[in-house]
Amino acid sequence: MMKKIKYTLMLTVGLLAGVVCEVNAQDTQKAHNPIIYADVPDMAMIRVGDTYYMSSTTMHMAPGVPIMKSKDLSNWKLVSYAYDTLANVDAMNLTDGKGTYGRGSWASSLRYYNNTFYVSTFAQTTGQTYIYSTKDIENGPWKRVTFKPSFHDHSLFFDDDGKVYMLYGGGKLTLVELNADLSGVKQGGLNRVVIENATAPSQINGKQGGLPAEGSQLFKVNGKYYLFNISWPPNSMRTVIVHRADKITGPWEGKVVLQDLGVAQGGLIDQPDGTWYAYLFRDNGAVGRIPYLVPVKWEDGWPVLGVNGKVPQYLDLPANKSLIPGIVNSDDFSRKKTDADLPLVWQWNHNPDNSLWSVKARKGYLRLKTGAVTNDFLLARNSLTQRTIGPVSSGTTSIDVSNMKDGDFAGLGLLQKNYGLVGVKVHGGTKNIVMVNASTGNPEQVSEIPLQQKTIFFKATCDFRNRKDTADFYYSLDGKNWEKIGTPLKMAYTIPQFIGYRFTLFNFATKAAGGFADFDFFQISDKMENPR
């Protein structure tokens, strides 16, 4: 028996946005943009003392609304999620034949008020607004309240007088007062349109372009209210608009504060020493929407973003370290009694069926059992994912396929609408290594190689440099000598899924449920060379 091996939308912003600069952290003692070269969009950020917290969007993934922590604004690690599952409905469970790709929960708002952390979000899937709260953002527990309607791209806001609001909408922005316990809209409370056309500062000859002002994030600085929004003017790029007012109800005056590289949507964060940054993100092709920091100075009561109006390559912050292990990480599936079954770096594609997976059934392995029949990878339940990272990355796994049944398909994938898979398919009494390429949006099996042993190794490599957005797949019989299989996957960020590509461990049945596959490890690397 082989010795066990353990290893530690907007699709683009167009040519006007330029090409993202590829920098290695070792090249400088300062931080560089992007701050996180991975899919962490729709960020909301707060500082509590000397600690920063950030929430983000992961759409249809479970658990959801990831919370990240930093001490220096440059280096972040996952510390919790606001929820395990958003809702127990067919669309979130992948039991309706459709799923809810690109929906689930959207842009969150993160606040700290009266020694309590609040995360709010909204979902088209359920038509509801959600508010999660906790005294301990890193460990929970979280309390949930939910109400209708679903307030699009809202900003939760606690004012100095104790009143609580949500400001929401696209183009036309509405301010609504909430009950003191956040249980819903306050009857008889403030509920009015406060900005009729928030897009106006970026309009060209009265034309709106591709995106009305949305992504609201509301702040109060030195007694004034500041509202951040994003728009997309015609024949231009994603743009940051800021409005300000002396009263929360207005009147509001607005202007464009940044238009460079398509870096936009976010808000303000200050450091203990009084310096300010804007946290924003950029559409960056198949890897997803990636965070940037932009210096902010104050002039005449306005935040001035960038260096001479540009997004800088380097920042006066500590150097970025690897995203491994804080945002993504390898896993040998060995667990101590006090360990969580799955580290925070993992998310399921939609809600999992917890009866069909285990890291305890076989020590040191992740077991994925089939529980339903489907011919569609995108409808396969219990696919376990991690982000890909840029500028390049690779994911590697090993699988014991000896307990798979006729029709089962298990392996390593890159998840998006135009996905790629490498794995083992069982047909009758034979097993074959196959590669499936869905670059065109329609999956095509492009390779099939007989397999005569029970253990197999797979690897996927991703090249996001200069938006090349290609991936290659490999297999190995011994974990040392690798063979490329199939054809290169042309990765594309698509609106239906609205999320960057994910490394994915999967196993699903096409004929009858009941088989299982055991995954020995998952290794992620910020390089593309063959693992040893």
Side-chain angles (χ1 to χ4, degrees):
M1 181 176 176
M2 183 183 300
K3 182 180 179 181
K4 187 175 181 180
I5 299 176
K6 296 286 184 182
Y7 291 101
T8 47
L9 197 218
M10 288 62 72
L11 309 184
T12 70
V13 291
L15 295 176
L16 288 171
V19 177
V20 69
C21 185
E22 319 292 359
V23 185
N24 290 321
Q26 306 94 289
D27 294 342
T28 175
Q29 295 303 306
K30 291 185 176 183
H32 61 79
N33 275 316
I35 287 295
I36 299 175
Y37 205 144
D39 193 51
V40 183
D42 303 334
M43 307 95 70
M45 196 180 295
I46 58 173
R47 177 176 63 84
V48 180
D50 64 352
T51 305
Y52 305 92
Y53 293 102
M54 176 169 63
S55 63
S56 179
T57 294
T58 50
M59 301 292 176
H60 45 275
M61 297 290 174
V65 188
I67 307 296
M68 287 147 278
K69 173 185 177 181
S70 177
K71 286 289 189 177
D72 59 12
L73 282 178
S74 300
N75 298 283
W76 295 84
K77 66 176 181 178
L78 284 158
V79 293
S80 67
Y81 290 90
Y83 62 79
D84 288 328
T85 57
L86 179 73
N88 183 23
V89 296
D90 284 345
M92 294 299 297
N93 292 336
L94 279 179
T95 52
D96 66 343
K98 295 179 181 178
T100 187
Y101 283 104
R103 296 166 75 215
S105 60
W106 277 14
S108 58
S109 185
L110 178 62
R111 299 295 183 187
Y112 183 68
Y113 181 74
N114 279 352
N115 299 313
T116 301
F117 295 90
Y118 296 88
V119 178
S120 62
T121 187
F122 64 103
Q124 293 176 325
T125 311
T126 61
Q128 297 187 24
T129 297
Y130 298 79
I131 302 178
Y132 301 87
S133 60
T134 183
K135 294 289 186 181
D136 186 347
I137 194 171
E138 298 185 36
N139 301 294
W142 293 85
K143 175 186 174 183
R144 185 185 90 158
V145 297
T146 182
F147 54 85
K148 292 186 177 182
S150 173
F151 288 133
H152 176 81
D153 276 15
H154 67 253
S155 181
L156 179 65
F157 187 77
F158 295 86
D159 212 344
D160 297 335
D161 59 5
K163 291 184 177 181
V164 191
Y165 301 95
M166 278 188 173
L167 193 151
Y168 70 94
K172 179 183 290 188
L173 303 182
T174 300
L175 183 70
V176 60
E177 187 176 355
L178 302 183
N179 296 324
D181 62 1
L182 282 68
S183 59
V185 177
K186 183 178 181 180
Q187 187 174 2
L190 183 69
N191 190 341
R192 72 168 74 161
V193 174
V194 291
I195 304 178
E196 284 286 347
N197 182 13
T199 317
S202 68
Q203 287 180 332
I204 300 174
N205 297 323
K207 295 183 178 180
Q208 176 174 286
L211 184 71
E214 62 177 16
S216 292
Q217 295 201 32
L218 180 60
F219 306 88
K220 196 172 187 178
V221 181
N222 294 329
K224 280 187 179 289
Y225 298 88
Y226 294 89
L227 175 63
F228 273 61
N229 289 104
I230 178 182
S231 73
W232 197 333
N235 302 314
S236 186
M237 66 185 73
R238 290 160 38 92
T239 298
V240 182
I241 298 173
V242 169
H243 286 79
R244 72 176 184 181
D246 292 322
K247 296 181 179 179
I248 196 168
T249 53
W252 292 84
E253 57 177 330
K255 65 179 183 179
V256 170
V257 297
L258 185 68
Q259 194 174 62
D260 184 45
L261 299 178
V263 174
Q265 189 164 339
L268 289 168
I269 192 72
D270 68 333
Q271 294 186 288
D273 66 2
T275 58
W276 289 80
Y277 286 89
Y279 55 88
L280 307 163
F281 70 83
R282 182 185 191 187
D283 292 339
N284 203 66
V287 75
R289 299 179 289 169
I290 59 180
Y292 280 66
L293 287 175
V294 178
V296 172
K297 294 192 180 300
W298 293 87
E299 294 181 5
D300 299 323
W302 287 97
V304 178
L305 275 62
V307 178
N308 297 321
K310 300 295 183 182
V311 176
Q313 181 178 352
Y314 298 105
L315 300 161
D316 190 19
L317 291 169
N320 319 53
K321 298 176 184 177
S322 175
L323 301 184
I324 306 168
I327 303 298
V328 295
N329 201 14
S330 301
D331 193 344
D332 66 3
F333 300 119
S334 296
R335 301 288 184 262
K336 298 177 183 177
K337 287 184 178 181
T338 56
D339 290 341
D341 282 355
L342 288 177
L344 296 171
V345 293
W346 291 110
Q347 285 179 287
W348 298 99
N349 175 18
H350 292 66
N351 296 343
D353 180 340
N354 290 320
S355 69
L356 297 175
W357 69 273
S358 176
V359 290
K360 297 174 180 175
R362 181 180 178 185
K363 188 176 180 180
Y365 287 81
L366 166 71
R367 176 165 294 177
L368 295 180
K369 298 185 285 186
T370 62
V373 174
T374 181
N375 287 306
D376 189 348
F377 166 66
L378 297 180
L379 294 179
R381 206 164 179 188
N382 283 15
S383 293
L384 189 60
T385 80
Q386 284 198 43
R387 294 169 177 83
T388 55
I389 60 175
V392 299
S393 54
S394 65
T396 309
T397 192
S398 173
I399 313 176
D400 181 340
V401 299
S402 55
N403 292 288
M404 294 174 65
K405 291 191 172 184
D406 184 25
D408 289 0
F409 186 15
L412 173 66
L414 284 169
L415 173 64
Q416 237 279 358
K417 178 178 178 289
N418 299 355
Y419 59 82
L421 310 174
V422 62
V424 172
K425 265 188 178 178
V426 183
H427 180 68
T430 64
K431 294 181 175 70
N432 293 290
I433 306 167
V434 301
M435 189 268 170
V436 175
N437 192 320
S439 291
T440 63
N442 296 311
E444 179 185 1
Q445 183 173 307
V446 294
S447 290
E448 183 176 76
I449 301 168
L451 177 65
Q452 304 296 333
Q453 60 191 53
K454 72 172 188 177
T455 302
I456 182 71
F457 299 80
F458 294 120
K459 179 179 69 161
T461 62
C462 302
D463 190 347
F464 300 111
R465 290 172 295 188
N466 299 323
R467 300 193 186 168
K468 184 178 180 182
D469 290 351
T470 58
D472 290 300
F473 291 84
Y474 301 80
Y475 75 94
S476 172
L477 299 178
D478 58 9
K480 297 178 181 179
N481 301 293
W482 292 88
E483 298 289 338
K484 187 180 290 189
I485 185 171
T487 52
L489 175 71
K490 180 56 181 174
M491 297 182 285
Y493 188 98
T494 67
I495 292 298
Q497 291 211 6
F498 226 157
I499 201 166
Y501 273 76
R502 293 268 181 142
F503 292 114
T504 305
L505 307 181
F506 69 89
N507 180 31
F508 63 95
T510 65
K511 293 184 178 180
F516 62 87
D518 287 340
F519 292 78
D520 188 3
F521 64 86
F522 174 77
Q523 180 205 23
I524 190 167
S525 171
D526 57 6
K527 300 177 177 60
M528 292 196 301
E529 81 275 9
N530 291 341
R532 289 291 185 267

